[in-house]
Amino acid sequence: MSDFLIAPSILSADFARLGEEVDNVIASGCDVVHFDVMDNHYVPNLTIGPLVCDALRSHGVTAPIDVHLMVKPVDRIIPDFAKAGASFITFHPEASEHIDRSLSLIRESGCKSGLVFNPATPLDYLNYVMDKVDVVLLMSVNPGFGGQSFIPATLDKLRQARKMIDDSGYDIRLEVDGGVKVDNIAEIASAGADMFVAGSGIFGGANDSDANTYDTIVAQFRDELAKV
Ligand code: DX5
Ligand code: ZN
């Protein structure tokens, strides 16, 4: 995998043609499939579960699948996603009574583990579980919906998280999710992120989900990242 990972959020894809949409964004040079799981309880929206993850694997998707759990509680569903082919599983600390246990459960299930921080959630939790996370995900919007604007305070928080990760010496990805577009990805990368979720920024820019349009947008993301 390259230094900078681009992770299209399929929340903004055409669900009626999901396998083809994923094939097209991966063919356009994206690295990871970002898979948003919402339960109409932890967040006020309802999306997709392990069956859909399994369906993408059966369809032939071999790229890593990054399962972003916006569900509460989290433990019961973790093994189901591992069996369905998830590569990464991340969750919000507010959604688990036992964060350390949930992180361990993800790794024991054979997946890479991560914690997700809402815009107003402090990074303090990380200090105690740095050895148990493979990815730190900072939300740059409030979770629940695609198409929201990037919250600028995330840039300082990214710098803080980058320092914590570097100081720890662990090999941990710093992922950002929400409002990432061609015109801000370079600034976000400069603040320390190395894994970029983009939903509307990739799928929303396409005309009739034309695969060639994904090529153009992903190339623009890469050009911006090359400037960092
Ligand atoms: C929001 C989700 C995001 C969302 C991002 O709760 O976690 O992954 O799809 O969408 P954009 O890139 O449109 O902000
Ligand atoms: Zn997400």
Side-chain angles (χ1 to χ4, degrees), residues 109-121:
S109 304
C111 298
K112 291 185 187 298
S113 63
L115 270 187
V116 191
F117 295 86
N118 284 332
T121 302

Side-chain angles (χ1 to χ4, degrees), residues 184-198:
N184 63 8
I185 195 168
E187 190 181 18
I188 295 167
S190 299
D194 58 15
M195 184 167 173
F196 307 86
V197 177

